[in-house]
Amino acid sequence: MKYDVIIIGAGPGGIFSAYELVKGNKDLKIAVFETGSPLEKRNCPIDGEKVKSCVNCKTCAIMSGFGGAGAFSDGKYNITNDFGGTLHEHIGKKEAISLMEYVDEINISHGGEGTKMYTTAGSKFRKLCLQNKLNLLNASVRHLGTDINYVVLENLYAELKDQVEFRFHHQVDHIELLEQGYRVYCGEQSDDCDKCIVSVGRSGSKWMEEVCQELNIPTSSNRVDIGVRVELPAEIFSHLTDELYESKIVYRTEKFEDNVRTFCMNPYGIVVNENTKGIVTVNGHSYEDPEKQTENTNFALLVAKHFSEPFKDSNGYGESIARLSNMLGGGVIVQRFGDLIRGRRSNWKRIEEGLVRPTLAATPGDLSLVLPKRILDGLIEMIYALDKIAQGTANDDTLLYGVEVKFYNMEVNIDENLETPYKGLYVIGDGSGVTHSLSHASASGVHVARHILNCVQAAD
Ligand SMILES: Cc1cc2nc3c(=O)[nH]c(=O)nc-3n(C[C@H](O)[C@H](O)[C@H](O)COP(=O)(O)OP(=O)(O)OC[C@H]3O[C@@H](n4cnc5c(N)ncnc54)[C@H](O)[C@@H]3O)c2cc1C
């Protein structure tokens, strides 16, 4: 089959490329190839009863399928250039924000109306943070919530499905350069296209590396973020989360001058497992629906680790630490902050006697046997720093789940159109290493679609 555009991956990057292409030119023949399932068929076998932990499905229903890694996310849609990726370095700060706002409007008109937008602008917490050596980053965040995020995806799919050919369970193995355009292989089957948008997210990072090697597209990579997920009674952070929902706070440690930051804050949320190719790490989300909310808030504390030459495998380093926690705990480990400080592993008795009821059934253990000293020291310093603006963060009963790892894709060499050195071959979203969030990934999709529409118009 011959298409005008083939999009590889149906995450936010792929979806918003398709959306904008269809909106701009109804005559284009567009296909989306996706490894995973349609939205309604994305079911993780973990039910908390018969299946309690990850069974390593061939295709992870949490990470793959229509909606990509973001489908069951908390749906925190951050409008900012301060975090979530470096899209602005390619397309400019103004354009990046304008595209994120544009996608926000689409989300609102597709089921997100009534959801709340929070902002750090003019917040009294900025001063409080600065007084305690903490830096509150600038952002506006719309909290869609896992439930509304799902509705938005359902509505987007309903709108696109008659105009775009979605092929699910269709994993692309190979991209071949043609004299004009590209040939995309899934096993024996192949399809041709004039333009190809690769939007394979984090789950497609290894494959993306192979494609870049094969096609000789330059890449760079040197970062991984490692830390824990903190869970505590929601009241402790409610003064911040009620006003800001998500506060991204950065602390520079005194000991090593490393940056530790809060990430992915989930008021009244739950802590969840995340499986990346058999490695179980921790994550979190929360629901907009009060019925599904818990009494706890969770957020990640992460230390960014940058490596210099000759070491290149920053993700391998993060994976090794995650594997160590999986080896000791059979998955994610949970520890009370008080036990960590006293140098002893946690056990169920002490956790059950504590003030925080865990929302994830993890294995009580000792994170000091897993995390390198430098990272652990940074996390402990940050917890004490946060205790000054949210008293109770450093309570003995605060739970720490480990490990949380943010793997970064190697950064693909793309230009201001997010185009590789090959004309008509684009790499966008988290798979490009340029974005790490729903908003930046979605915005990158719109940006590329508009560039393609301009090229098509110029050629007509
Ligand atoms: C649990 C969780 C919670 C999160 N919460 C938030 C949040 O609240 N806010 C936020 O901003 N970000 C959040 N994120 C991150 C966010 O989901 C991602 O940044 C975003 O989904 C990236 O979009 P993408 O389109 O680039 O990639 P993805 O969403 O990863 O989509 C890529 C798609 O490509 C498919 N694919 C991969 N390889 C191939 C192949 N070879 N052939 C065909 N298809 C392929 C995959 O199956 C996948 O569906 C969360 C992530 C997780 C895992």
Side-chain angles (χ1 to χ4, degrees):
M1 195 78 87
K2 170 84 201 293
Y3 296 91
D4 294 306
V5 186
I6 289 180
I7 300 167
I8 308 174
I15 292 171
F16 279 96
S17 312
Y19 179 93
E20 194 65 8
L21 285 170
V22 166
K23 194 179 141 218
N25 187 339
K26 299 237 172 321
D27 296 331
L28 289 179
K29 200 164 153 46
I30 304 161
V32 177
F33 295 168
E34 165 59 51
T35 305
S37 307
L39 188 60
E40 72 281 5
K41 300 226 166 88
R42 290 181 63 173
N43 295 315
C44 172
I46 301 176
D47 57 8
E49 289 171 12
K50 275 193 192 146
V51 186
K52 288 209 166 83
S53 58
C54 181
V55 293
N56 296 322
C57 299
K58 194 166 158 254
T59 304
C60 173
I62 301 289
M63 298 298 286
S64 291
F66 188 83
F72 305 108
S73 80
D74 189 41
K76 277 191 293 293
Y77 189 86
N78 291 299
I79 302 182
T80 179
N81 287 319
D82 277 7
F83 53 87
T86 52
L87 185 63
H88 60 278
E89 289 179 8
H90 288 79
I91 70 173
K93 285 190 168 174
K94 232 171 124 188
E95 176 68 357
I97 293 288
S98 149
L99 291 177
M100 288 182 231
E101 286 171 346
Y102 171 74
V103 173
D104 181 51
E105 280 164 27
I106 298 169
N107 288 337
I108 292 172
S109 64
H110 285 75
E113 64 276 2
T115 53
K116 203 168 157 192
M117 180 71 106
Y118 301 80
T119 179
T120 51
S123 167
K124 61 180 180 292
F125 292 114
R126 180 169 303 284
K127 183 173 171 190
L128 179 66
C129 284
L130 285 173
Q131 285 168 333
N132 291 287
K133 295 194 204 163
L134 294 162
N135 180 16
L136 177 66
L137 300 183
N138 278 319
S140 295
V141 51
R142 180 174 301 286
H143 179 231
L144 291 166
T146 309
D147 31 13
I148 304 292
N149 191 40
Y150 192 92
V151 173
V152 171
L153 287 171
E154 274 182 325
N155 289 337
L156 284 170
Y157 183 65
E159 190 169 318
L160 290 176
K161 71 177 175 12
D162 295 332
Q163 298 169 77
V164 173
E165 185 182 329
F166 281 96
R167 283 199 217 160
F168 292 104
H169 310 293
H170 211 77
Q171 176 154 334
V172 176
D173 304 315
H174 185 61
I175 302 174
E176 186 183 314
L177 304 179
L178 302 177
E179 239 170 68
Q180 289 241 309
Y182 299 90
R183 181 159 295 155
V184 174
Y185 287 85
C186 302
E188 300 284 285
Q189 195 179 340
S190 70
D191 297 273
D192 293 357
C193 58
D194 290 335
K195 315 248 181 229
C196 182
I197 303 175
V198 185
S199 180
V200 292
R202 223 167 63 205
S203 60
S205 62
K206 284 251 151 46
W207 180 73
M208 192 69 248
E209 259 175 77
E210 285 164 27
V211 171
C212 289
Q213 263 167 18
E214 249 175 60
L215 299 180
N216 224 355
I217 299 172
T219 60
S220 55
S221 151
N222 69 352
R223 175 180 175 178
V224 65
D225 293 354
I226 299 168
V228 292
R229 188 149 285 259
V230 179
E231 186 168 49
L232 34 65
E235 287 88 342
I236 289 178
F237 259 74
S238 61
H239 55 306
L240 278 150
T241 54
D242 286 354
E243 184 179 312
L244 303 175
Y245 190 82
E246 159 109 293
S247 38
K248 298 266 189 198
I249 302 170
V250 182
Y251 173 73
R252 194 152 178 79
T253 65
E254 283 181 13
K255 205 168 195 173
F256 299 109
E257 296 196 325
D258 284 338
N259 282 340
V260 188
R261 71 184 207 283
T262 61
F263 177 82
C264 185
M265 208 165 261
N266 297 296
Y268 309 96
I270 56 171
V271 179
V272 295
N273 284 315
E274 184 175 316
N275 189 318
T276 312
K277 308 255 180 248
I279 301 168
V280 186
T281 53
V282 62
N283 211 312
H285 59 89
S286 62
Y287 292 93
E288 185 72 5
D289 180 355
E291 297 263 301
K292 293 180 181 162
Q293 292 178 347
T294 71
E295 60 201 12
N296 293 344
T297 285
N298 69 71
F299 55 87
L301 287 185
L302 297 172
V303 183
K305 195 74 214 96
H306 294 265
F307 294 95
S308 45
E309 291 286 334
F311 186 69
K312 288 203 170 80
D313 190 10
S314 50
N315 283 346
Y317 178 80
E319 276 177 24
S320 303
I321 292 173
R323 271 187 221 284
L324 194 54
S325 83
N326 290 182
M327 186 173 95
L328 290 170
V332 168
I333 288 176
V334 57
Q335 186 173 25
R336 289 168 67 247
F337 184 60
D339 290 333
L340 176 70
I341 294 303
R342 289 179 184 85
R344 65 185 184 196
R345 75 169 279 196
S346 284
N347 57 34
W348 273 123
K349 185 168 178 296
R350 273 199 293 275
I351 290 176
E352 274 164 10
E353 284 169 359
L355 290 172
V356 189
R357 256 178 289 177
T359 56
L360 175 71
T363 308
D366 187 353
L367 290 166
S368 70
L369 296 177
V370 174
L371 290 164
K373 177 175 167 26
R374 179 174 181 148
I375 290 175
L376 194 64
D377 285 355
L379 295 172
I380 292 171
E381 258 194 55
M382 172 66 153
I383 288 172
Y384 284 123
L386 285 176
D387 196 63
K388 293 185 186 144
I389 61 157
Q391 204 181 348
T393 307
N395 282 353
D396 281 354
D397 289 333
T398 292
L399 296 178
L400 308 180
Y401 296 85
V403 292
E404 180 136 349
V405 186
K406 291 289 159 244
F407 297 106
Y408 287 85
N409 287 17
M410 83 273 117
E411 220 174 296
V412 183
N413 186 346
I414 44 178
D415 65 10
E416 70 280 7
N417 300 315
L418 313 185
E419 196 170 26
T420 64
Y422 298 97
K423 284 279 151 227
L425 180 63
Y426 303 84
V427 183
I428 63 163
D430 290 14
S432 66
V434 168
T435 81
H436 322 298
S437 60
L438 296 173
S439 52
H440 285 225
S442 308
S444 71
V446 176
H447 184 76
V448 156
R450 288 184 184 171
H451 176 71
I452 291 177
L453 289 167
N454 286 340
C455 293
V456 170
Q457 201 180 19
D460 281 348

